[in-house]
Amino acid sequence: MADHIRIRPAEGTWTVRAGGAIIAETTRALELTEGTYPPVIYFPREDIAMALLDQSARTSTCPHKGAAEYFTIAAKSGPIHDAAWSYPAPIPAAQAIAGHLAFYPDKATVERI
């Protein structure tokens, strides 16, 4: 399982934009690669405008990361449902992403600036 997940610091400054607002900006992002999936950038909660996110009822479980919770972005143009997710208590192989959120690229713009 440890070979399936790789987590490392994502170099540079990363942002998340959605609904015309900057949701997050950090120099402390983590890049998670899982098998053959594209890399995912995880943002520390402290660097996210959490006031713009509402936890949704959706949950899921990943055998390699644990139980996930989801968040809806409260944008001025209307809610962007389940746009972000987090693993509040990931399994040991993914412990580094505890306290971080990731965003779906089709619901928010995640980019290195």
Side-chain angles (χ1 to χ4, degrees):
M1 197 176 313
D3 294 350
H4 186 75
I5 299 277
R6 186 171 144 231
I7 302 169
R8 64 180 185 85
E11 294 183 14
T13 301
W14 289 84
T15 63
V16 175
R17 287 181 291 113
I22 295 176
I23 306 297
E25 183 173 328
T26 190
T27 58
R28 302 180 302 136
L30 297 174
E31 180 184 79
L32 181 144
T33 50
E34 179 178 359
T36 59
Y37 292 109
V40 175
I41 303 298
Y42 280 80
F43 291 77
R45 278 182 186 257
E46 301 83 27
D47 297 340
I48 300 170
M50 292 301 294
L52 298 176
L53 301 178
D54 297 317
Q55 189 167 346
S56 73
R58 181 180 173 194
T59 60
S60 67
T61 302
C62 169
H64 303 290
K65 295 183 292 291
E69 58 187 19
Y70 292 80
F71 296 85
T72 293
I73 297 172
K76 286 184 180 182
S77 58
I80 305 170
H81 296 284
D82 299 329
W85 72 92
S86 178
Y87 293 91
I91 64 172
Q95 189 59 44
I97 60 170
H100 290 67
L101 276 77
F103 294 81
Y104 284 105
D106 61 333
K107 296 185 179 197
T109 301
V110 176
E111 62 187 354
R112 183 177 171 182
I113 58 170

